[in-house]
Amino acid sequence: MADTGSVGLQLTPDPDADGTVFMTLAGEQFAGLFPEALDASRWDSIDEDDLRAQIGKIDQDIAFLRGADFSALTAAGEFELTVKIPIKPAPVGETTTGADATDVFETVDQTFRQLVDRTMKSDLARDLVRRGYLDRNFALYAAQFYGDFTGVDVATFIVQSVQTNTMDIDYRFESSGAIENLLSETSEDFTHSVSAYNVAVVDFLLEHRRDLADNVVARMVSSFDDQAREFLAAYLSAGKQRSLLAAQLSARGWRKIFTYLAQDEDVPDDARVGLFDAALSGAGTQGYDLGSDAAEFISEHYKEMPTFTSAQDDARVQTVVALVERADILVADLSTVHETLRAQLVAQSLYQLTAPNLYAALGAPRTISLDQVRENDVVYEYCLANPGRYLAAVTGDGNTEHTVETADTLRAVLADVAGTWSDEHMDELVSAAAPGSALDRIAAVPSSTWSALAAARLFRASIFNMEAYRAEVGAIDEQLAQLLLAAGAIEVEPDNEVLEGDEAVPDHKVAAAVAILNASDTIPAARDRVSLVRSLDIDGPLPAAQLQPEGGELLTLLITNGIVEDDAETFSQFHAAGWSALEPAIVASEYFKGSVAPELVDGMVAQIFDSPRVRDKVGAQIVGRLGEFVPGDDAAALTAAASFAVAQGVTLPVHEILRVAATGPEARDVTLRLLQMASPTPADIVATLVELGEPYRNLSTREQTEFEVPFDDAHRAVFEQLEQAGLCKTSKKRLQDRLLVKLL
């Protein structure tokens, strides 16, 4: 066994032969060695090439035999003719069966030379034939009155063209009935030969002997060689029956007839369209070569061709439609096509999808909206299969305002195109639909279309539709938000209008309301959201815990419209939204007129005292419970509360004044006022003032025994108490508003 490599061939000795080795190839191995051999198309090509070579050799032999004279045939030994020759008479006394011996023949194959030798008894006669002195026209030359019954022009043509099998395209026949005489003097084989390539001959045959003309056409079609090309060019320029020839060429199935007529430079331009049309009229079901040249020619000139513009029988119509379809032609203007052919082109969708063509295909409807298009199933399917072209046709048609006019059509179309049209085409379809086509229930159409419908506002703004949409999309997106805002209110279906299988409408209300209020990204204005929620006519307040806190007027609107409870839970939920949400809400709140939970305004005390309306409402409560509302060292809050207390004449406990002072020197004035109002003990005064820093710290450190403070009522009152307690002496500095303090 030998290994040939990657192919893996097995070489096996034959046990019954001396040294003979056989190669065994599996299918894959054979493919590895000879990959081209398994390609069927390559074998077809090889077979076709071989067949053409054989046909070419046969054609050469036929041409030789048709044109050869006696001398040439004598020299050609490869051709034989089957003939019958008489058998020699039987010997005397013997009998034959069935006939005399002289009537008995045998069949043999003989060359022309053998026939000459057997037929001609004279050596001189045989030699004259071999040397060309005696030929097929010997009887013609010897006829005394030859010209009277045949015609010199016919005889000349026979001798020069027919017998030599040569082409004389422009040979003129002058005698009366010349072509009839020619046909009578020649065999039918004449019309199969190249010698029949004559304008006058083909004119006659096409007009009077279509059967024989078909022989000429058949030869041209079978091998469109240089001679056939030359003759066809001449005939299409000068022939009287060129349209008939074009029709017969296509009827004979010449594959290249349409490409030739469309672009070959030998075809006269002024006759090209007519000839092409004639070829169409004669075409059958054969596989013509309808390349780009032929297809383009039809597209450009079909309006000039009677095959397209006039009535044709059913068979011709079907043939033309088949050719148009095979050439991938879409007719640009159906209105120019005869109604019979037009109907078939429409049935096969072989027209450009334009507004004028749709009007023609549909029989001049009012518009080309899909409501009208659906009246014809084939046209409807064509439009759905080509959304871009259909939508462009609608856009360009001044008579068609909408792609869809009714809800029934919209419902049906969406069911048909869902999942096949792109989002872009879907958006274009619904955006151009009539407002009157809006759907009552979006559940009746595929959910993949809902977003586009919402963007085009093409379904009812009902709670059922809204909740179905949210369940599918997951939120109130921009499209649904705009639909709801455009509607201005949400319709609530009565329970008895809910379709069987739907959830009860009341169960939807709370969820819908919460979703709307939380949709600040797509419905920014709080007033719009609250207005939509109010249209739901909800029984009772919503659970505040389910709402997303946000700044602005939302909380206030919710409270004033009774959508949420005006209580600590609601304010606690919105605390994270900050002061912009709470300030107007506190002003509007009834809850804040009573005892307030300090945590509801945690971190907002200073802002409360900066807001006159809120300050007036809860300021006193905060000052009275300052330790609860400001438990830490929030300087701004303590200072604001202290200032409010001073303004309102509210006396703070000493420990609270001490906290105010501890916030730093900025709290000096308000601290002194608070101390003045509170009348604390000297020790409390000292402890409080020390928190204010320099120079008040000297009361404790005594680093300086004299220092100055402002000469105002609060300072004079507080230090007067210290002076009375014997801790210092005070005096006003001359010419200055300063109080001099001397420690004792």
Side-chain angles (χ1 to χ4, degrees):
M1 179 178 69
D3 186 359
T4 61
S6 61
V7 179
L9 302 181
Q10 301 293 328
L11 303 181
T12 307
D14 181 3
D16 298 327
D18 296 334
T20 302
V21 177
F22 288 93
M23 177 183 294
T24 303
L25 296 178
E28 294 180 357
Q29 296 169 339
F30 188 85
L33 282 176
F34 310 107
E36 300 87 351
L38 298 183
D39 185 352
S41 63
R42 292 182 61 87
W43 285 105
D44 291 341
S45 176
I46 292 172
D47 291 342
E48 183 176 353
D49 292 344
D50 183 60
L51 181 61
R52 287 184 179 279
Q54 294 181 42
I55 292 174
K57 177 62 170 62
I58 292 172
D59 286 343
Q60 289 178 1
D61 291 344
I62 291 173
F64 168 76
L65 291 172
R66 281 177 173 155
D69 57 16
F70 286 173
S71 62
L73 289 174
T74 303
E78 68 270 28
F79 301 108
E80 293 182 336
L81 180 68
T82 300
V83 297
K84 290 181 179 181
I85 61 174
I87 300 175
K88 293 182 179 181
V92 177
E94 295 185 9
T95 60
T96 59
T97 301
D100 294 337
T102 55
D103 294 329
V104 178
F105 296 86
E106 64 176 343
T107 301
V108 297
D109 293 332
Q110 290 190 332
T111 65
F112 186 78
R113 184 185 186 100
Q114 290 172 325
L115 288 173
V116 169
D117 291 343
R118 183 175 64 82
T119 303
M120 306 188 78
K121 306 304 182 182
S122 166
D123 289 338
L124 174 60
R126 289 194 290 269
D127 198 40
L128 289 172
V129 170
R130 286 194 294 268
R131 294 176 180 272
Y133 294 106
L134 286 178
D135 60 18
R136 72 180 78 182
N137 296 314
F138 178 76
L140 177 66
Y141 299 147
Q144 182 177 2
F145 303 105
Y146 174 79
D148 293 338
F149 57 86
T150 303
V152 175
D153 53 351
V154 173
T156 302
F157 185 77
I158 291 174
V159 172
Q160 293 180 351
S161 294
V162 178
Q163 292 180 358
T164 60
N165 194 35
T166 57
M167 179 175 67
D168 190 345
I169 296 173
D170 300 317
Y171 183 85
R172 292 181 177 276
F173 294 89
E174 303 293 345
S175 61
S176 176
I179 306 302
E180 293 95 323
N181 289 335
L182 172 64
L183 295 177
S184 66
E185 292 295 327
T186 58
S187 67
E188 185 178 337
D189 187 61
F190 160 63
T191 55
H192 291 282
S193 70
V194 70
S195 59
Y197 287 169
N198 173 268
V199 172
V201 170
V202 174
D203 272 343
F204 179 87
L205 295 180
L206 287 170
E207 185 174 3
H208 301 288
R209 292 294 304 273
R210 195 73 61 82
D211 57 328
L212 297 181
D214 191 57
N215 295 339
V216 180
V217 170
R219 188 186 196 288
M220 294 175 63
V221 170
S222 64
S223 176
F224 192 60
D225 52 19
D226 291 342
Q227 290 176 314
R229 174 177 288 278
E230 182 182 354
F231 169 71
L232 182 58
Y235 191 84
L236 294 181
S237 296
K240 297 177 181 179
Q241 308 295 334
R242 54 190 182 182
S243 292
L244 288 177
L245 179 60
Q248 198 137 340
L249 283 168
S250 64
R252 253 294 173 173
W254 184 27
R255 290 180 56 87
K256 297 185 179 297
I257 178 65
F258 294 109
T259 300
Y260 174 84
L261 292 175
Q263 57 87 31
D264 198 283
E265 60 184 10
D266 289 336
V267 180
D269 288 335
D270 61 344
R272 194 182 297 274
V273 173
L275 293 172
F276 198 101
D277 183 68
L280 283 176
S281 69
T285 58
Q286 295 87 346
Y288 298 98
D289 180 6
L290 292 168
S292 58
D293 290 327
E296 184 178 349
F297 189 83
I298 294 175
S299 297
E300 291 180 358
H301 298 285
Y302 70 94
K303 296 179 184 180
E304 307 165 51
M305 300 179 188
T307 301
F308 282 87
T309 60
S310 61
Q312 306 290 331
D313 59 39
D314 290 343
R316 181 56 40 212
V317 168
Q318 295 301 328
T319 298
V320 172
V321 170
L323 290 173
V324 169
E325 183 175 18
R326 193 178 304 161
D328 292 327
I329 296 171
L330 296 179
V331 174
D333 186 359
L334 282 176
S335 66
T336 62
V337 178
H338 189 270
E339 59 186 15
T340 306
L341 177 58
R342 182 193 311 153
Q344 293 303 312
L345 292 174
V346 171
Q348 299 300 322
S349 300
L350 296 174
Y351 57 95
Q352 293 180 15
L353 200 53
T354 63
N357 276 350
L358 282 175
Y359 279 106
L362 296 170
R366 177 173 51 84
T367 69
I368 56 170
S369 69
L370 287 172
D371 305 73
Q372 304 295 317
V373 172
R374 287 180 67 215
E375 297 296 323
N376 185 308
D377 291 341
V378 174
V379 177
Y380 178 63
E381 291 298 330
Y382 189 32
C383 291
L384 295 194
N386 298 274
R389 294 176 185 173
Y390 169 72
L391 294 170
V394 172
T395 301
D397 181 37
N399 194 43
T400 302
E401 186 176 357
H402 302 293
T403 54
V404 174
E405 297 173 345
T406 65
D408 287 343
T409 296
L410 180 60
R411 192 180 303 110
V413 170
L414 292 179
D416 290 337
V417 304
T420 60
W421 279 25
S422 67
D423 292 343
E424 180 182 355
H425 289 145
M426 187 71 73
D427 291 343
E428 191 173 349
L429 168 72
V430 298
S431 65
S437 65
L439 304 174
D440 284 339
R441 297 274 180 162
I442 59 171
V445 297
S447 58
S448 60
T449 67
W450 292 0
S451 180
L453 288 172
R457 304 174 188 175
L458 284 180
F459 60 81
R460 191 160 55 98
S462 67
I463 188 171
F464 176 84
N465 286 339
M466 172 185 162
E467 288 305 275
Y469 190 100
R470 282 204 315 118
E472 178 67 25
V473 177
I476 298 177
D477 60 9
E478 185 67 30
Q479 290 75 21
L480 179 59
Q482 293 304 312
L483 181 142
L484 296 176
L485 289 173
I490 300 174
E491 300 177 37
V492 179
E493 299 92 337
D495 291 350
N496 60 1
E497 291 185 7
V498 178
L499 297 178
E500 183 179 354
D502 295 340
E503 297 181 20
V505 171
D507 293 341
H508 293 166
K509 285 185 178 181
V510 172
V514 170
I516 291 170
L517 293 174
N518 289 338
S520 58
D521 289 344
T522 53
I523 309 178
R527 288 184 178 274
D528 291 335
R529 282 177 275 149
V530 170
S531 177
L532 290 172
V533 169
R534 289 186 63 191
S535 69
L536 294 173
D537 194 22
I538 300 173
D539 298 327
L542 296 176
Q546 296 183 22
L547 303 181
Q548 296 176 2
E550 68 174 74
E553 63 178 347
L554 176 60
L555 178 57
T556 304
L557 293 171
L558 295 177
I559 291 173
T560 56
N561 285 280
I563 296 175
V564 296
E565 292 282 10
D566 182 8
D567 60 10
E569 181 182 354
T570 296
F571 279 93
S572 176
Q573 176 68 13
F574 276 79
H575 182 274
W579 182 242
S580 67
L582 264 63
E583 180 183 21
I586 292 172
V587 173
S589 173
E590 291 294 322
Y591 166 75
F592 270 81
K593 290 181 179 180
S595 179
V596 177
E599 61 270 15
L600 299 182
V601 293
D602 181 37
M604 301 178 186
V605 171
Q607 293 165 304
I608 288 175
F609 287 108
D610 284 338
S611 175
R613 298 181 67 186
V614 179
R615 178 180 65 211
D616 292 344
K617 195 165 191 175
V618 297
Q621 187 176 173
I622 293 174
V623 169
R625 299 161 56 194
L626 187 59
E628 297 179 49
F629 282 92
V630 190
D633 57 356
D634 185 342
L638 289 171
T639 302
S643 298
F644 179 79
V646 170
Q648 297 296 318
V650 177
T651 301
L652 292 181
V654 173
H655 67 278
E656 297 292 4
I657 299 174
L658 181 63
R659 287 206 301 145
V660 173
T663 62
E666 291 79 5
R668 182 194 67 184
D669 292 340
V670 70
T671 299
L672 268 294
R673 293 291 303 277
L674 289 172
L675 289 173
Q676 180 186 6
M677 294 167 59
S679 300
T681 65
D684 289 336
I685 293 174
V686 170
T688 301
L689 292 177
V690 167
E691 293 294 331
L692 294 175
E694 299 297 339
Y696 306 100
R697 190 175 297 166
N698 290 311
L699 293 172
S700 173
T701 63
R702 302 186 71 83
E703 290 181 1
Q704 294 181 5
T705 57
E706 289 188 8
F707 56 88
E708 298 176 2
V709 296
F711 187 77
D712 54 35
D713 290 343
H715 279 84
R716 284 186 296 159
V718 170
F719 277 95
E720 183 178 347
Q721 293 183 55
L722 294 178
E723 188 174 359
Q724 290 175 357
L727 297 178
C728 66
K729 286 192 174 190
T730 63
S731 62
K732 182 180 182 299
K733 293 190 71 174
R734 291 184 63 191
L735 304 178
Q736 296 183 32
D737 289 332
R738 302 290 293 172
L739 182 66
L740 180 63
V741 179
K742 293 182 180 180
L743 299 178
L744 299 177

